[in-house]
Amino acid sequence: MRAEPLNEISSLLEELDACQEDGSTRSALLIRLLVEEGHDRHEDIVFELGLIGDSAAVPAIAKAVHMPFPELVRWHNLHAFQRKCAYALARIGTEDSRRVLEELAADEDEYLREYGKEGLEHWPMPFKE
């Protein structure tokens, strides 16, 4: 996946902010933005993807959990983001999301291992209103 130019990221963020529906258009925007640099919404995006529960988000979350986004590193929020990725995968609750959590639970990075195990403990995580 190529990195989008910052002006395109800004346009995508504006489109997301204007999107009033909770369906496939919003989900597609969130998935696309999750793996892009140039914005500071990664934590909010992965949290929302977990709430939506769209299985199409699993590959993007699996990629994003390993990405050291500069804003998250600078703000010391990378580990919080990675944990949110694990919970989003648990909430999505598909076999694919479980496989990603199992891979995280076996990762060489101690934090990813911890978050993968934690996600597996909660998988599948039903939505409670």
Side-chain angles (χ1 to χ4, degrees):
M1 189 170 282
R2 70 179 178 82
E4 300 290 348
L6 289 180
N7 59 346
E8 190 167 340
I9 296 299
S10 294
S11 295
L12 289 170
L13 289 169
E14 288 174 13
E15 189 177 344
L16 179 66
D17 291 341
C19 185
Q20 298 298 315
E21 64 136 302
D22 289 334
S24 61
T25 300
R26 183 166 185 85
S27 184
L29 285 167
L30 292 166
I31 290 167
R32 185 167 175 194
L33 283 164
L34 181 63
V35 295
E36 294 294 342
E37 294 183 8
H39 66 87
D40 60 0
R41 298 191 193 182
H42 294 97
E43 288 183 90
D44 294 337
I45 288 170
V46 79
F47 182 80
E48 186 172 346
L49 286 169
L51 290 177
I52 292 170
D54 185 350
S55 63
V58 172
I61 296 170
K63 180 178 180 180
V65 74
H66 293 284
M67 297 177 73
F69 295 107
E71 295 84 1
L72 295 175
V73 171
R74 185 172 57 249
W75 298 332
H76 305 286
N77 285 356
L78 182 61
H79 296 303
F81 170 74
Q82 292 169 327
R83 188 169 188 236
K84 287 177 184 173
C85 287
Y87 272 86
L89 291 165
R91 170 62 184 93
I92 290 169
T94 63
E95 288 300 321
D96 286 340
S97 70
R98 182 175 179 83
R99 275 190 289 281
V100 174
L101 287 170
E102 289 169 346
E103 290 170 10
L104 291 175
D107 198 278
E108 63 185 37
D109 180 284
E110 67 181 295
Y111 294 101
L112 292 179
R113 271 196 319 271
E114 177 185 337
Y115 306 143
K117 290 174 185 175
E118 193 173 341
L120 286 169
E121 288 173 8
H122 295 283
W123 182 93
M125 181 184 292
F127 181 73
K128 296 179 183 175
E129 292 191 42

